[in-house]
Amino acid sequence: MKLITVSGPPSTGKTSVIIKTIDHLSQKEIKVGVIKFDCLSTNDDILYKRKKIAVQVGISGGLCPDHFFVSNIEECFEWGLKEELDILISESAGLCNRCSPYLRGSLAVCIIDNLMGIHTPKKIGPMLRYADIVVITKGDIVSQAEREIFAYRVKEVNSKAKILFINGITGQGTLHLADLFMKEGERENLKDSKLRFTMPAALCSYCLGEMTVGKDYQIGNIKNINL
Amino acid sequence: MKLEDEKGFDITIIGGHDKDGNPEDLNLTIYSGEVVSIVGPTGSGKSQLLGDIEWMAQKDTPTGRKILINGQVPDVEKRFDIDSKLVAQLSQNMNFVMDVTVKEFVEIHASSRKIEDSEEVIEAIITQANQLAGEEFLEDTPITSLSGGQSRALMIADTAYLSKSPIVLIDEIENAGIDRKSALDLLVKREKIILMATHDPILALMGDKRLVIKNGGINKIIESTAAERKNLVLLEKLDKKLLMMRNKLRNGEIIDCIGWE
Ligand SMILES: Nc1ncnc2c1ncn2[C@@H]1O[C@H](COP(=O)(O)OP(=O)(O)OP(=O)(O)O)[C@@H](O)[C@H]1O
Ligand SMILES: [Mg+2]
């Protein structure tokens, strides 16, 4: 089974792009399933089910969603094998701009959009920097010049990634993405596979439920601003 | 690949289907130096045709069209490569979203197109854009606060100075009240292929050919005739008159005499 990790800030069109890409794969009788990671809630599973795509949802709730991703991905992979999928796609929303829920040896796709502002590529961090493919959506809303400038800024952060322009509404560009998915190698399992980048460190009293502000209540991995 | 140096450059549009799925029977090749206008009712698919060409569609757009360059399917990697862009596009929607000044915008665009020592070019673009637009803007004006016409003028000057692409697509240059004649003079360079969607009779008649779009498909291809070219001269006279009126109105004057000879 191939594992493809897709991530990107909220509302950039991850689900639309994935669904439109799966449409092309389904036509070739390729069986694709999705595991959606989110923080608080998601309706995306309904969208996938409507398209008869096998889907599982993981809500991290009070936990850091990317820690939640690593600690669950192996079991998700096993679910995919049991479902006899050809491709398992993990979809996760990048929330703190510090994580990159990508594994070495699995294709990593980051989805961003043209409307995020010219400085955003620098701010997104590892999620963009460590992606193999960067998909840029909503190009139909801006001029060609702005598309070029935005892509240039993405290249400054990640010069190796392939940049794809995709229209999530019409699906223009997803055929190419589907072809790239097909070129991805097969994996037997995720035993001992490694993250591409460290997760943000967090082990302090607030991680454990502390709610009060103040020095006396802070224990563990604490960092203070130099004022 | 240095396409701008090549002499015989051409592009072929192979028909797909219209909005109802009826086949679009078409195999049209356009050669460098040709100006082609695109006409048709609003919503008929003019912008879509330009979009297909910009995308170098390979049956992967709503129209199912296929685009060939020099008779061949463009290489996948080249198709999406920003550095070797074959197509410069002036799209219909001109709302900027980036939080930069006019100067920064042109500067970054120039460097994204690998143009070094851009200082002079940047100045030329801004001066030129100001000549096309009515009301002046400055180099430190944020692009998001430009008016529709000013944005358009800036994009036209930007395309004229920064783009080496052998194909130029122009979508409704007549909107937003800029001087469309000087705009076209800037954009239409001899060795290029120009495709221009328009509702404006003068621009439509300026093409060597015009494509008539109906219900999403190219319905007719018309070669412009000698009679049409003669009428174009008359239309241009009429247009000059109109332009004069428009400028008078803009400057708060009274239109008390139209002055037909
Ligand atoms: N052959 C086709 N099949 C399916 N949809 C099509 C086809 N051609 C065009 N469309 C769709 O029709 C809609 C309107 O087309 P478009 O915007 O190109 O019209 P237009 O002629 O440029 O209109 P205007 O004059 O208002 O600019 C678009 O959503 C476009 O994708
Ligand atoms: Mg249009």
Side-chain angles (χ1 to χ4, degrees):
Chain A
M1 186 175 69
K2 303 173 198 291
L3 172 66
I4 291 162
T5 51
V6 178
S7 69
S11 309
T12 52
K14 293 182 292 296
T15 304
S16 314
V17 170
I18 293 172
I19 286 180
K20 291 271 176 3
T21 307
I22 294 178
D23 279 345
H24 295 296
L25 296 166
S26 307
Q27 275 172 23
K28 293 184 189 153
E29 312 275 315
I30 312 268
K31 195 167 175 214
V32 190
V34 177
I35 164 92
K36 165 82 189 193
F37 290 94
D38 218 322
C39 245
L40 297 174
S41 73
T42 182
N43 288 324
D44 288 352
D45 51 328
I46 301 171
L47 299 173
Y48 287 119
K49 277 180 193 145
R50 206 178 282 158
K51 284 278 184 176
K52 307 227 162 30
I53 298 167
V55 60
Q56 287 288 340
V57 169
I59 299 290
S60 63
L63 294 179
C64 158
D66 289 313
H67 284 98
F68 182 69
F69 165 86
V70 222
S71 35
N72 283 282
I73 191 67
E74 197 172 14
E75 285 72 18
C76 293
F77 193 88
E78 257 135 47
W79 168 77
L81 290 175
K82 217 171 62 217
E83 293 279 316
E84 300 185 322
L85 302 178
D86 298 304
I87 302 179
L88 174 66
I89 298 175
S90 75
E91 177 192 342
S92 50
L95 296 160
C96 69
N97 290 343
R98 166 60 181 75
C99 313
S100 71
Y102 304 138
L103 300 177
R104 291 190 198 156
S106 287
L107 190 71
V109 183
C110 177
I111 303 188
I112 54 180
D113 75 52
N114 269 299
L115 305 183
M116 297 169 56
I118 188 167
H119 304 296
T120 309
K122 283 223 164 79
K123 291 185 200 159
I124 298 177
M127 185 165 72
L128 182 61
R129 207 159 60 237
Y130 290 93
D132 303 309
I133 297 174
V134 177
V135 169
I136 307 179
T137 59
K138 303 183 193 171
D140 55 323
I141 298 172
V142 299
S143 64
Q144 186 188 41
E146 278 189 301
R147 283 200 294 277
E148 288 179 7
I149 290 175
F150 194 75
Y152 176 69
R153 282 291 158 105
V154 168
K155 271 194 183 166
E156 284 181 331
V157 177
N158 182 345
S159 59
K160 289 196 207 100
K162 245 189 202 30
I163 296 179
L164 260 56
F165 294 98
I166 290 186
N167 180 327
I169 298 169
T170 62
Q172 181 167 310
T174 47
L175 188 60
H176 188 35
L177 187 60
D179 287 342
L180 293 173
F181 281 11
M182 289 309 295
K183 288 201 182 118
E184 170 67 5
E186 302 284 326
R187 294 189 84 137
E188 301 277 306
N189 54 54
L190 292 187
K191 202 168 168 300
D192 297 332
S193 72
K194 287 236 169 3
L195 281 166
R196 295 192 182 196
F197 192 72
T198 56
M199 291 281 160
L203 196 61
C204 67
S205 42
Y206 297 107
C207 299
L208 299 168
E210 179 57 68
M211 290 174 80
T212 321
V213 176
K215 276 238 149 28
D216 289 351
Y217 304 94
Q218 300 168 357
I219 312 165
N221 194 353
I222 301 290
K223 190 175 173 182
N224 295 108
I225 309 174
N226 258 333
L227 295 170
Chain B
M1 193 167 61
K2 277 205 168 155
L3 279 155
E4 62 266 30
D5 295 343
E6 279 177 31
K7 281 196 196 83
F9 180 81
D10 64 63
I11 163 175
T12 304
I13 304 168
I14 300 175
H17 49 76
D18 70 8
K19 289 188 191 175
D20 301 325
N22 304 312
E24 181 188 41
D25 183 20
L26 178 81
N27 190 321
L28 172 69
T29 302
I30 305 169
Y31 302 90
S32 47
E34 278 191 277
V35 178
V36 176
S37 52
I38 303 168
V39 297
T42 177
S44 57
K46 298 183 293 298
S47 301
Q48 179 66 51
L49 174 61
L50 296 179
D52 288 348
I53 295 170
E54 205 255 349
W55 183 251
M56 305 269 153
Q58 299 300 320
K59 301 189 176 176
D60 56 350
T61 64
T63 63
R65 290 193 184 104
K66 216 174 142 170
I67 306 294
L68 304 180
I69 299 294
N70 292 334
Q72 285 172 340
V73 174
D75 182 56
V76 180
E77 300 298 325
K78 283 270 146 43
R79 217 178 129 194
F80 304 113
D81 191 14
I82 309 157
D83 302 337
S84 58
K85 260 272 167 208
L86 293 176
V87 178
Q89 184 185 32
L90 274 168
S91 50
Q92 197 170 8
N93 42 344
M94 271 296 148
N95 33 356
F96 287 117
V97 297
M98 283 183 173
D99 182 21
V100 287
T101 65
V102 168
K103 181 163 185 198
E104 285 166 339
F105 179 81
V106 183
E107 225 164 37
I108 309 169
H109 197 205
S111 44
S112 80
R113 293 210 162 188
K114 309 235 158 27
I115 294 169
E116 317 265 322
D117 300 324
S118 50
E119 202 60 37
E120 255 169 65
V121 185
I122 294 169
E123 219 182 280
I125 291 174
I126 296 172
T127 312
Q128 188 60 254
N130 271 315
Q131 272 164 24
L132 292 174
E135 193 78 12
E136 193 178 357
F137 57 88
L138 304 170
E139 58 176 37
D140 52 9
T141 306
I143 54 165
T144 45
S145 67
L146 296 180
S147 74
Q150 288 173 323
S151 310
R152 211 108 237 267
L154 179 63
M155 289 319 311
I156 290 164
D158 175 282
T159 305
Y161 284 85
L162 292 183
S163 166
K164 295 195 184 98
S165 309
I167 305 171
V168 181
L169 309 177
I170 305 169
D171 206 346
E172 294 193 23
I173 203 173
E174 65 266 26
N175 282 349
I178 52 161
D179 179 352
R180 57 190 172 2
K181 189 95 204 321
S182 348
L184 264 194
D185 286 344
L186 258 183
L187 290 170
V188 177
K189 302 203 177 112
R190 216 182 286 145
E191 70 283 12
K192 302 209 176 200
I193 290 177
I194 314 275
L195 283 110
M196 156 171 77
T198 185
H199 292 283
D200 181 289
I202 293 182
L203 296 181
L205 290 180
M206 276 170 72
D208 305 304
K209 277 193 189 100
R210 67 181 182 274
L211 312 182
V212 186
I213 314 274
K214 205 172 148 187
N215 194 33
I218 298 177
N219 185 253
K220 219 187 217 176
I221 302 172
I222 300 175
E223 304 263 348
S224 62
T225 62
E228 277 194 339
R229 270 189 287 274
K230 232 168 87 193
N231 285 333
L232 180 58
V233 179
L234 288 177
L235 273 174
E236 277 172 345
K237 270 195 195 146
L238 213 78
D239 187 60
K240 265 208 193 101
K241 193 124 239 170
L242 262 175
L243 189 68
M244 224 173 62
M245 297 293 150
R246 187 187 299 150
N247 283 336
K248 275 189 165 180
L249 281 168
R250 277 177 169 174
N251 293 324
E253 289 172 42
I254 309 285
I255 310 291
D256 45 5
C257 165
I258 296 205
W260 295 112
E261 296 97 281

